[in-house]
Structure formats: structure tokens, C-alpha cells
């Protein structure tokens, strides 16, 4: 039997063409706070007998540090997300492995003049500022010593008292103790002139470059000295700009990029030079390399110190006429014979950050970004040095993603035992 529900009469003046009573509004339901999408891969780590290739993945606009398990043939076996809370992951610009692969120096870009350098322990994922407070780790990476001390470059915003911006601190990452190296400074002693600081294989000497003006000409020099600042030796002096100086991991050779002209003259390719640390044996290896002021085009030494990987443009005329379409590929120079071998075969794609595998059989690199649904993706590729393979490891890397290729964890455990 139907029942009639009495209703409250409409108030005086209610419009006759408007239904009464008004419909019951839908209750408001709080919406969940947007969260980042599920990870592209499970959290974990490759098996202890696999090499580990680290890179920064782009997961629908969110950054994730990934690690890829690689076999001895440079083939991808697995991929995992690293369970590490990086404080500024969207601005990660550098992953620098210690010589034994136990630690990574993790570098973030916080602005035009400031970077932040932290240390991550590979096995535990612990990440920290070895100098104390975060403001005291404002700076960049120079190098690692064999016993896992960090060669650190403080920037102007660093809060450590008495340090010279742009110089070099040798930091014990466990105790926080440090010493400041005696590198050349400006006449007022406010900042360091030295750049591209690199350690010799036995940590006994360091190499560095200085650039200055002399009679309206830009002059660059390369020097070496002992760690205590004594026994300074001039290696070479050239009119132009020297960038990205690096000491061989096993011998007495230095490799660097050189560009004629000034810092602002970017229309000309750079040149790749090799020189002995005593200044002898200087020779040109390649002359079509990309402008190397930020280091993303190499050069990087193979673990055995015989080969150097770098990026080179394939068409000099294109370099001069249309920088926006400039393409680069991965090349390897044999420092013994001077022979140069091309590893990748792309057309009109920009590639950068060549990174050697621990066994020296392969080179990983990042390939130019592609636009997909308003998201810019890059790709991580691996090329074998014998030419047997060239394939993509990831198609969702961050643009300019840093790379680090580390030995198997099992090799570390063997050393510890």
C-alpha cells in the first residue's frame, strides 16, 4: 500500500515553475590526494653476479632511480627501482662510482651556480652529506681516491668556513674530516682558478687546468702537482679553451677536449687531445667532437686505460650551418694506435654521456629525447666495442639522465672477505 509522505510547504514567494521540494544534493565525497603512478618496475636489485647499470627513469613525469642487471656480454637481464629517497631526484645530474663500486657520489643541480653532492652506499641505500649539514655539501664532484675519499668542489653558497669556492677538498666520507688542496686562486684569494681536477691512478698527483686572458687572447694551461701542492709541473699551454681533463686510470696519460677561440665561441667543434703527464707525446686524436664545456660528450677512459669513448659529429658542414639538427654518434679512440671506431649508427640524433662497462666490453649512452603525449623521453642504449650489438636498454629515461655502470656485488663481497 502506497503511503503519502507529507512535505513542508514551499516558502512564501517560491516560484510556481520551480519544483518543490528541491532535489537532494549529492553528498560531497573528499577526493584522494593525487599520488604518483605505480613504479614502472619492482623495487629490488640485480643478482649479486650481475653488473649494475644505474639511470634515471621518467615514470609519467616522475623521476625514479633504476638499476639494470647486465650480463658479461652487455645484455640486459633485469630491471628494478632503487628504494632510495633522493631529496632532489628531478634535478639529478651525476652518478659517480667509487673505484671499488661500493659508493656513488650523487650530484644534484639546484640552480645556475649551485650543485649538491651527497654520497650513497650501494648495498644499503643509505644517503648522506659527508660534511655534515646539507648546506656544507653545496658543490660538485671532482674525483674519488682509491680508498674512497671524495675530491669535492665547494661552490660559493657552501657554508663550510674558510673554503675557497671552485677549489678542491679531500673528504673522508665516514668521518667528515677534510683538507683543502693548494690550487691556484684569484689574486684576492676569493675563488679558485683551477678547473677539471683529476687524480692520478696512484693518488699521488693531481692534474688541473687554468684559463685566463693574455693580451685579449684566451690561454689555457694544464698543470700537475703533488697532493700537498709541491712539485708543480706545466704539462701544456695553448691558445683557446681546455675542458674536461681526465687522467688515465692506469697510466701517465691525460686526455682533454680543446677548442680554439673563446668560451663563447661555440660554433666550432672541439678537438680531442692526448698528452703524457710530463708534457711529452702530445697528439690529436679527433677533431669533430661536440662542444664539451659541460662534459656530457665525454671523453671517458676504458677501465684498462687504452681506449677513450667520446661523441663526435658526423658532418662538419651541418655543424656549422644548423646546430639544431646536429647529430652525434659514439666513437672509441685507441690511444695506442690512434685508430677510431664508430659504435653507433644514428642519423640526426644527439647522443651523450658515454659510460664504460666495468669489463670494458661495452659503452652505454643516453640518446636524444622524443616527445610522446607532452612528455619528453630519452633512451639508454648499449653498444659493444666489438660491434656485435647495439640495442636500447630503456625507452623512458630522463633527458640527460646520468649513468653509472658498476661491477657485480659478488666481486665486492669477495674483496671484503
Amino acid at each position: 500500500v502506497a503511503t503519502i509522505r507529507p512535505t513542508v510547504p514551499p516558502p512564501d514567494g517560491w516560484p510556481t515553475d520551480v519544483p518543490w521540494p528541491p532535489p537532494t544534493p549529492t553528498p560531497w565525497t573528499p577526493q584522494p590526494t593525487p599520488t604518483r603512478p605505480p613504479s614502472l618496475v619492482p623495487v629490488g636489485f640485480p643478482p649479486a653476479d650481475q653488473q649494475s647499470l644505474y639511470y634515471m627513469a621518467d615514470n609519467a613525469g616522475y623521476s625514479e632511480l633504476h638499476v639494470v642487471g647486465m650480463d658479461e656480454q652487455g645484455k640486459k637481464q633485469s630491471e628494478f627501482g632503487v628504494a632510495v629517497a633522493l631529496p632532489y631526484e628531478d634535478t639529478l645530474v651525476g652518478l659517480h662510482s667509487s673505484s671499488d663500486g661500493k659508493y656513488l657520489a650523487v650530484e644534484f643541480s639546484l640552480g645556475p651556480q649551485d650543485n649538491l653532492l651527497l654520497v650513497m652506499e650501494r648495498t644499503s641505500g643509505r644517503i648522506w652529506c659527508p660534511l655534515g649539514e646539507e648546506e656544507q655539501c653545496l658543490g660538485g664532484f671532482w674525483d674519488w681516491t682509491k680508498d674512497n675519499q671524495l675530491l669535492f668542489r665547494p661552490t660559493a653558497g657552501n657554508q663550510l668556513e674558510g673554503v675557497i669556492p671552485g677549489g678542491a677538498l679531500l673528504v673522508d666520507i665516514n668521518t667528515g674530516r677534510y683538507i683543502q688542496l693548494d690550487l691556484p686562486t684569484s689574486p684576492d684569494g676569493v675563488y679558485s682558478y683551477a678547473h677539471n681536477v683529476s687524480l692520478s691512478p696512484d693518488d699521488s698527483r693531481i692534474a688541473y687546468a687554468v684559463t685566463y686572458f693574455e693580451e685579449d687572447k684566451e690561454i689555457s694551461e694544464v698543470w700537475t702537482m703533488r697532493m700537498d701542492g709541491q712539485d708543480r709541473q706545466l704539462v701544456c699551454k695553448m691558445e683557446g679553451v681546455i675542458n674536461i681533463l681526465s687522467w688515465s686510470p692506469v697510466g701517465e696519460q691525460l686526455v682533454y677536449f680543446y677548442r680554439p677561440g673563446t668560451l663563447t665561441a661555440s660554433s666550432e667543434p672541439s678537438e680531442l687531445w692526448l698528452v703524457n703527464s710530463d708534457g711529452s707525446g702530445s697528439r690529436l686524436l679527433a677533431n669533430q667532437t661536440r662542444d664539451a664545456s659541460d662534459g656530457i660528450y665525454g671523453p671517458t677512459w676504458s677501465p684498462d686505460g687504452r681506449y677513450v669513448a667520446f661523441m663526435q659529429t658526423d658532418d662538419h658542414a651541418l655543424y656549422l650551418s644548423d646546430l639544431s639538427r646536429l647529430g652525434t654518434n659514439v666513437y672509441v679512440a685507441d690511444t695506442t694506435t690512434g685508430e677510431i671506431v664508430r659504435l653507433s649508427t644514428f642519423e640526426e640524433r644527439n647522443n651523450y654521456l658515454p659510460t664504460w662497462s666495468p669489463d670494458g666490453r661495452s659503452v652505454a649512452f643516453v640518446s636524444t629525447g622524443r616527445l610522446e603525449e607532452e612528455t619528453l623521453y630519452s633512451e639508454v642504449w648499449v653498444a659493444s666495442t666489438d660491434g656485435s650489438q647495439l640495442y636500447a636498454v630503456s625507452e623512458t629515461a630522463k633527458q640527460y639522465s646520468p649513468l653509472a655502470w658498476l661491477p657485480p656485488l659478488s666481486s665486492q663481497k669477495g674483496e671484503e672477505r
Side-chain angles (χ1 to χ4, degrees):
V1 178
T3 59
I4 300 176
R5 293 175 55 195
T7 61
V8 177
D12 292 341
W14 185 262
T16 57
D17 58 344
V18 177
W20 177 263
T24 303
T26 302
W28 178 79
T29 303
Q31 298 298 311
T33 303
T35 57
R36 57 191 303 163
S39 176
L40 296 167
V41 295
V43 174
F45 203 86
D49 60 350
Q50 290 182 4
Q51 302 172 20
S52 297
L53 175 60
Y54 286 83
Y55 79 98
M56 185 60 75
D58 190 323
N59 182 20
Y62 291 91
S63 299
E64 295 181 343
L65 183 59
H66 283 200
V67 56
V68 178
M70 308 290 288
D71 64 16
E72 292 184 354
Q73 286 70 46
K75 281 289 188 180
K76 176 179 177 179
Q77 301 298 305
S78 57
E79 183 167 356
F80 299 92
V82 180
V84 176
L86 297 178
Y88 305 97
E89 59 187 3
D90 285 330
T91 65
L92 182 67
V93 295
L95 292 169
H96 312 281
S97 172
S98 59
S99 58
D100 59 8
K102 293 181 179 178
Y103 301 98
L104 282 170
V106 186
E107 191 170 3
F108 306 89
S109 174
L110 304 186
Q113 301 298 324
D114 263 328
N115 280 15
L116 174 68
L117 191 69
L118 305 178
V119 172
M120 185 179 80
E121 188 176 43
R122 179 183 174 193
T123 53
S124 69
R126 182 172 70 100
I127 186 168
W128 74 101
C129 167
L131 289 161
E133 301 296 327
E134 189 173 287
E135 293 78 8
Q136 296 171 321
C137 277
L138 290 176
F141 174 80
W142 280 138
D143 214 335
W144 283 100
T145 66
K146 292 191 300 181
D147 59 354
N148 292 338
Q149 294 187 80
L150 185 65
L151 203 58
F152 171 71
R153 174 181 57 83
T155 57
N158 193 288
Q159 299 299 307
L160 287 170
E161 185 176 354
V163 303
I164 298 175
L169 304 182
L170 188 61
V171 181
D172 186 315
I173 63 173
N174 295 308
T175 67
R177 296 193 181 99
Y178 65 89
I179 60 173
Q180 186 163 241
L181 302 189
D182 185 19
L183 294 173
T185 62
S186 58
D188 53 10
V190 173
Y191 59 92
S192 175
Y193 271 156
H195 56 93
N196 300 306
V197 178
S198 183
L199 283 167
S200 65
D202 60 2
D203 296 341
S204 64
R205 299 183 67 82
I206 66 170
Y208 62 90
V210 293
T211 302
Y212 57 91
F213 281 95
E214 185 178 272
E215 297 179 355
D216 297 327
K217 296 180 180 179
E218 202 153 16
I219 306 296
S220 290
E221 299 174 348
V222 173
W223 290 78
T224 67
M225 71 177 192
R226 293 206 312 255
M227 293 289 281
D228 61 5
Q230 301 300 308
D231 189 25
R232 296 179 191 265
Q233 297 180 7
L234 178 64
V235 177
C236 62
K237 180 178 180 180
M238 307 173 78
E239 182 181 337
V241 180
I242 289 177
N243 277 316
I244 323 303
L245 174 69
S246 180
W247 205 311
S248 165
V250 297
E252 289 297 319
Q253 291 181 310
L254 303 169
V255 68
Y256 60 88
F257 275 142
Y258 162 76
R259 189 181 69 240
T262 67
L263 284 169
T264 58
S266 59
S267 61
E268 287 293 329
S270 295
E271 300 172 352
L272 180 63
W273 283 79
L274 181 74
V275 63
N276 295 327
S277 61
D278 62 3
S280 65
S282 179
R283 57 193 172 100
L284 177 68
L285 289 178
N287 61 2
Q288 296 292 319
T289 60
R290 279 297 307 264
D291 170 57
S293 58
D294 55 7
I296 65 173
Y297 299 107
T300 53
W301 287 95
S302 63
D304 63 5
R306 175 165 178 171
Y307 302 94
V308 175
F310 61 99
M311 300 299 181
Q312 180 168 281
T313 180
D314 302 311
D315 188 338
H316 182 68
L318 181 62
Y319 193 111
L320 298 177
S321 64
D322 188 355
L323 290 176
S324 65
R325 295 178 58 245
L326 177 62
T328 55
N329 275 289
V330 188
Y331 289 78
V332 168
D334 186 327
T335 60
T336 301
T337 66
E339 180 186 8
I340 295 179
V341 176
R342 174 175 169 172
L343 299 188
S344 64
T345 55
F346 297 114
E347 293 184 3
E348 296 189 8
R349 297 187 67 175
N350 203 14
N351 304 286
Y352 31 82
L353 295 167
T355 305
W356 287 90
S357 63
D359 54 21
R361 298 179 180 180
S362 304
V363 176
F365 59 96
V366 182
S367 189
T368 187
R370 73 181 191 283
L371 190 62
E372 186 175 298
E373 296 182 358
E374 299 184 357
T375 300
L376 187 63
Y377 292 107
S378 289
E379 300 164 351
V380 178
W381 285 72
V382 169
S384 61
T385 54
D386 63 5
S388 62
Q389 65 182 12
L390 174 66
Y391 77 101
V393 171
S394 170
E395 297 180 351
T396 55
K398 294 278 289 186
Q399 190 178 26
Y400 300 109
S401 167
L403 299 177
W405 202 332
L406 280 65
L409 280 169
S410 57
S411 64
Q412 292 184 24
K413 294 178 182 177
E415 291 173 4
E416 291 169 359
R417 287 196 298 269

